[in-house]
């Protein structure tokens, strides 16, 4: 596929040496609560665990959330890029959406923000353009620490902004920002100019990989569900694009419950067998080139 559109998660960073996500969680707890009173437990959904850490810290240590997010931004900026990041750039994607906060996919710190609207907290328009590729940081970025989407409150606000943009219309003061919702613009045959990464979910074939799509990602699951409802239930706008989700074959059985839900939401699941993580991602990129 020439100039594909991609949605990429944090797992591609796990090939790089250095800090894991678990290490980062431990560091966050240590930064906020040096006495270690919070217990990390895999049964705690991360957005609520973040709220537990922050709310406990604000009561005991009087920490400000801006301090915490600045610390997280500093830590994640230290993640090093690897050969898979470079191989992704060699695909010459038209668009790369990512839930990652750092700029390993870009390969360099962007010199300017190319968003239609400069957002402080949420990420409907958050875009950096390098060469011919538009990079959309859908959960915030390290250059704007307050935009980093971690807690339940932030997820709720992000979802509210997403639904306004797609369904009911926006209230941005910027004259450039579309006031009509995405659905209204498509219904009225008005141009859809890729002002937001949300446009892509209704207009472009998207390849999703390196992203676990846990159910705590309520914003992304809402988007998948709304798109599927438009296609199969409401039929108010045409939905002709395809979504592909890549997963290692070894994880298919354990993720069967999630893959069934993806299939119900019109996402095509592609499993790839590979001996290690690096080879797996090389095979994913080969598959995308062939489509």
């Amino acid at each position: 596929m020439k100039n594909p559109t991609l949605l990429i998660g944090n797992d591609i960073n796990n090939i790089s040496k250095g800090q894991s996500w678990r290490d980062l969680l431990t560091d966050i707890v240590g930064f906020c609560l040096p006495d270690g009173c919070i217990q990390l437990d895999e049964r705690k959904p991360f957005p609520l665990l973040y709220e537990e850490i922050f709310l406990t810290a604000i009561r005991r240590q009087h920490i400000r959330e801006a301090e915490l997010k600045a610390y997280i931004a500093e830590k994640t900026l230290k993640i090093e890029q690897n050969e898979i990041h470079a191989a992704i750039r060699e695909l010459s994607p038209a668009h790369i959406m990512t839930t990652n906060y750092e700029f390993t996919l870009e390969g360099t710190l962007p010199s300017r923000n190319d968003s239609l609207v400069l957002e402080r907290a949420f990420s409907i328009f958050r875009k950096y353009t390098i060469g011919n590729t538009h990079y959309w940081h859908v959960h915030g970025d390290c250059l704007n620490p307050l935009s980093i989407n971690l807690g339940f409150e932030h997820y709720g606000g992000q979802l509210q902004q997403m639904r306004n943009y797609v369904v009911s219309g926006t209230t941005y003061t910027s004259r450039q920002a579309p006031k009509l919702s995405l659905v209204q613009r498509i219904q009225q045959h008005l141009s859809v100019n890729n002002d937001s990464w949300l446009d892509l979910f209704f207009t472009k074939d998207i390849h999703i990989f390196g992203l676990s799509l846990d159910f705590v990602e309520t914003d992304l699951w809402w988007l998948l569900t709304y798109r599927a409802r438009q296609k199969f239930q409401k039929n108010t706008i045409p939905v002709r694009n395809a979504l592909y989700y890549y997963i290692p074959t070894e994880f298919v059985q354990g993720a069967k419950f999630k893959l069934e839900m993806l299939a119900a939401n019109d996402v095509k699941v592609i499993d790839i067998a590979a001996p290690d993580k690096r080879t797996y991602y090389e095979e994913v990129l080969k598959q995308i080139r062939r489509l």
Side-chain angles (χ1 to χ4, degrees):
M1 174 175 287
K2 186 178 180 181
N3 307 123
T5 295
L6 313 175
L7 171 58
I8 303 173
N10 184 67
D11 189 59
I12 60 167
N13 292 338
N14 291 331
I15 298 172
S16 302
K17 295 179 181 179
Q19 190 173 62
S20 68
W21 182 246
R22 178 78 181 188
D23 294 334
L24 178 59
L25 289 180
T26 302
D27 289 345
I28 291 172
V29 172
F31 175 77
C32 294
L33 300 158
D35 61 359
C37 64
I38 295 291
Q39 297 298 314
L40 298 181
D41 189 320
E42 293 181 356
R43 293 172 296 181
K44 296 179 180 179
F46 178 72
L48 287 173
L49 172 62
Y50 174 85
E51 298 292 352
E52 180 187 8
I53 295 168
F54 173 64
L55 293 172
T56 304
I58 199 173
R59 294 200 310 272
R60 296 178 58 156
Q61 305 290 340
H62 305 290
I63 192 171
R64 295 185 303 118
E65 190 166 26
E67 295 176 61
L68 174 54
K69 290 198 171 183
Y71 173 78
I72 294 168
E74 180 183 349
K75 298 290 287 187
T76 52
L77 270 175
K78 293 179 181 178
I79 296 173
E80 296 180 2
Q81 58 179 300
N82 57 56
E83 58 268 36
I84 298 302
H85 295 100
I88 290 169
R89 292 192 291 272
E90 288 173 5
L91 280 179
S92 299
H95 302 274
I96 295 179
M97 295 171 281
T98 182
T99 54
N100 301 346
Y101 314 128
E102 87 297 328
F103 299 95
T104 48
L105 284 163
E106 287 91 334
T108 185
L109 284 178
S111 58
R112 69 175 192 179
N113 186 312
D114 295 291
S115 309
L116 185 69
V117 175
L118 294 179
E119 298 162 295
R120 181 170 178 267
F122 302 115
S123 300
I124 305 304
F125 304 97
R126 192 172 302 280
K127 178 177 71 171
Y128 298 94
T129 301
I130 297 178
N132 295 319
T133 301
H134 302 298
Y135 294 85
W136 305 86
H137 286 261
V138 306
H139 283 170
D141 68 76
C142 290
L143 294 181
N144 302 274
L146 289 178
S147 72
I148 293 177
N149 191 355
L150 290 165
F152 209 63
E153 164 63 16
H154 204 143
Y155 268 94
Q158 173 80 357
L159 179 51
Q160 181 181 20
Q161 297 299 320
M162 288 170 59
R163 198 176 192 285
N164 288 348
Y165 183 88
V166 174
V167 182
S168 58
T170 70
T171 57
Y172 296 102
T173 56
S174 169
R175 293 183 179 180
Q176 293 180 292
K179 299 297 185 289
L180 291 177
S181 72
L182 175 61
V183 168
Q184 290 171 320
R185 281 179 281 141
I186 294 174
Q187 280 180 321
Q188 297 177 26
H189 305 288
L190 301 175
S191 59
V192 176
N193 300 317
N194 300 328
D195 295 325
S196 166
W197 61 274
L198 294 162
D199 297 350
L200 307 176
F201 268 80
F202 296 85
T203 60
K204 304 289 185 184
D205 291 351
I206 298 174
H207 301 268
I208 307 168
F209 58 92
L211 183 65
S212 64
L213 269 179
D214 291 334
F215 296 136
V216 299
E217 306 279 14
T218 51
D219 54 342
L220 296 179
W221 277 101
W222 171 81
L223 185 58
L224 293 175
T225 300
Y226 185 81
R227 174 187 173 276
R229 280 177 175 264
Q230 282 295 323
K231 183 171 184 177
F232 299 118
Q233 179 197 20
K234 297 182 179 180
N235 296 312
T236 53
I237 60 171
V239 179
R240 302 188 182 97
N241 63 319
L243 306 182
Y244 303 91
Y245 182 79
Y246 296 83
I247 183 171
T249 301
E250 63 184 295
F251 297 146
V252 167
Q253 189 58 39
K256 189 172 183 291
F257 65 100
K258 181 170 63 179
L259 301 183
E260 290 172 347
M261 297 187 74
L262 285 171
N265 281 281
D266 192 43
V267 179
K268 299 174 175 61
V269 175
I270 300 174
D271 66 281
I272 295 177
D276 56 64
K277 194 181 292 289
R278 181 179 287 102
T279 306
Y280 164 72
Y281 284 116
E282 290 170 349
E283 290 300 319
V284 168
L285 299 182
K286 288 178 184 177
Q287 177 87 11
I288 293 171
R289 287 192 191 94
R290 286 196 293 264
L291 284 176

